[in-house]
Amino acid sequence: MGLLAGFADRRELRNAERLVASGRAKSIGKSVSLRSRFPEISAKIARRVSTEMRHTANLIAEDAASRINPGPDPIHLAEEIHVEREAPATYRVVAGGGGAYYGHILEHGSVHAAPRPFLIPALDAQREGAVRRTTAILRGL
Amino acid sequence: MLTATVVREAIYGALTSSRDLSAVVGNRVYHAVAPENASYPLVIFNRQAGTPQDAFGERAFLWQRWMVKCIDAQTSSSLAEAAQAAAIEAMTAGFTVTGGTVQDVRYLADVDYLETANGVQYRHHGALFTVALSEA
């Protein structure tokens, strides 16, 4: 009986012994304390997903730049597309800065010119890969 | 078959049949760009992107991003914003396409900016929509 103290039956005791042997639990006398992996997993999720989001944002920026025909101007919008970090795991792809102010006009059109979208198509083209890579990260935790 | 023309015509129909939108822009609804001598305010709509979505080795959906915006040449944005609200309502109310099914129309984001051309300030107010379609 003494051997089973703290456990409902022998099967529960064997399970506890397995957990101790695998390092996922610590034996304290006749009972075990389970070690939660949530803090470890939580830290890994934040770090790995943030890295993946930055990678995806860079891919969207490269894709968007490749969709713009460089014109004769000395300042080219394609060279001004960049990634800005907003928050952990949140990145913004910005088309503009420097002297290239016309990203929104190109994307959405002007009174005299039809839209020539480059940002939304780049986002959509990279979406499936981002979902696939993020799913792989979560499965690997 | 879901061709670009079929979807474009369906969206044109949804926009031109909106009473609230017609109250602001009349029948001045154009695809991609307005004619040179068009009067303002007017509405422009354009497909911004289209991506097929496969599932189980078959084509499941066609995701399209559509922009609908009003352009006005007044000093106030009020009329263009009224048209923007009417366009959002007309689009999200749903529409039908020949040869396919509209599974979902989602209001994604606003499109708002000013443009100055030849000394005139133009106000662009509209929205982006995600339209999910499947073949009949």
Side-chain angles (χ1 to χ4, degrees), chain B:
Chain B
M1 187 180 172
L2 281 173
T3 61
T5 307
V6 163
V7 183
R8 178 167 53 78
E9 286 178 350
I11 290 175
Y12 178 82
L15 295 173
T16 50
S17 61
S18 162
R19 286 183 187 174
D20 290 343
L21 193 57
S22 296
V24 181
V25 302
N27 61 355
R28 295 185 297 278
V29 177
Y30 306 104
H31 176 241
V33 69
E36 198 59 42
N37 297 319
S39 55
Y40 295 89
L42 53 82
V43 163
I44 296 291
F45 69 106
N46 191 65
R47 191 178 70 164
Q48 300 294 96
T51 315
Q53 177 83 51
D54 294 343
F56 306 111
E58 289 183 7
R59 176 67 38 83
F61 292 104
L62 190 59
W63 294 94
Q64 295 190 347
R65 312 280 194 186
W66 284 85
M67 178 194 64
V68 182
K69 65 174 182 178
C70 177
I71 310 176
D72 200 4
Q74 296 193 32
T75 52
S76 163
S77 287
S78 297
L79 274 180
E81 286 170 347
Q84 177 186 38
I88 291 169
E89 200 172 312
M91 286 292 287
T92 53
F95 49 87
T96 55
V97 293
T98 310
T101 306
V102 179
Q103 300 290 351
D104 192 26
V105 179
R106 197 155 298 183
Y107 164 41
L108 195 63
D110 287 333
V111 172
D112 298 296
Y113 56 99
L114 287 172
E115 178 198 359
T116 304
N118 301 324
V120 180
Q121 201 173 61
Y122 295 92
R123 292 163 190 274
H124 299 245
H125 292 286
L128 282 172
F129 302 89
T130 297
V131 180
L133 304 142
S134 59
E135 297 279 353

Side-chain angles (χ1 to χ4, degrees), chain A residues 101-139:
Chain A
Y101 62 90
Y102 52 91
H104 61 294
I105 298 281
L106 199 63
E107 179 82 13
H108 298 124
S110 71
V111 286
H112 300 302
R116 282 183 286 164
F118 59 97
L119 271 179
I120 290 282
L123 171 71
D124 282 355
Q126 298 300 329
R127 185 181 55 187
E128 200 174 313
V131 169
R132 197 175 53 244
R133 290 189 299 273
T134 307
T135 303
I137 287 169
L138 296 176
R139 283 190 176 143

Side-chain angles (χ1 to χ4, degrees), chain A residues 2-136:
Chain A
L3 187 67
L4 290 172
F7 301 99
D9 52 26
R10 287 184 182 283
R11 189 173 156 198
E12 195 174 278
L13 174 63
R14 278 197 301 277
N15 284 339
E17 286 171 343
R18 272 194 220 109
L19 286 170
V20 171
S22 68
R24 291 161 65 192
K26 185 180 172 187
S27 174
I28 306 169
K30 290 170 184 170
S31 64
V32 292
S33 68
L34 298 174
R35 186 173 60 84
S36 170
R37 288 189 67 224
F38 281 129
E40 178 192 343
I41 291 172
S42 175
K44 278 184 181 172
I45 286 176
R47 196 170 56 244
R48 292 185 186 178
V49 171
S50 185
T51 302
E52 172 51 36
M53 288 303 103
R54 190 180 63 226
H55 174 60
T56 298
N58 284 326
L59 289 176
I60 292 169
E62 283 172 25
D63 190 328
S66 73
R67 293 170 188 265
I68 300 173
N69 293 325
D73 295 339
I75 301 161
H76 293 138
L77 180 62
E79 292 157 13
E80 300 290 345
I81 297 177
H82 60 281
V83 173
E84 293 176 1
R85 183 179 183 269
E86 275 201 342
T90 306
Y91 293 85
R92 179 189 290 265
V93 180
V94 179
Y101 62 90
Y102 52 91
H104 61 294
I105 298 281
L106 199 63
E107 179 82 13
H108 298 124
S110 71
V111 286
H112 300 302
R116 282 183 286 164
F118 59 97
L119 271 179
I120 290 282
L123 171 71
D124 282 355
Q126 298 300 329
R127 185 181 55 187
E128 200 174 313
V131 169
R132 197 175 53 244
R133 290 189 299 273
T134 307
T135 303

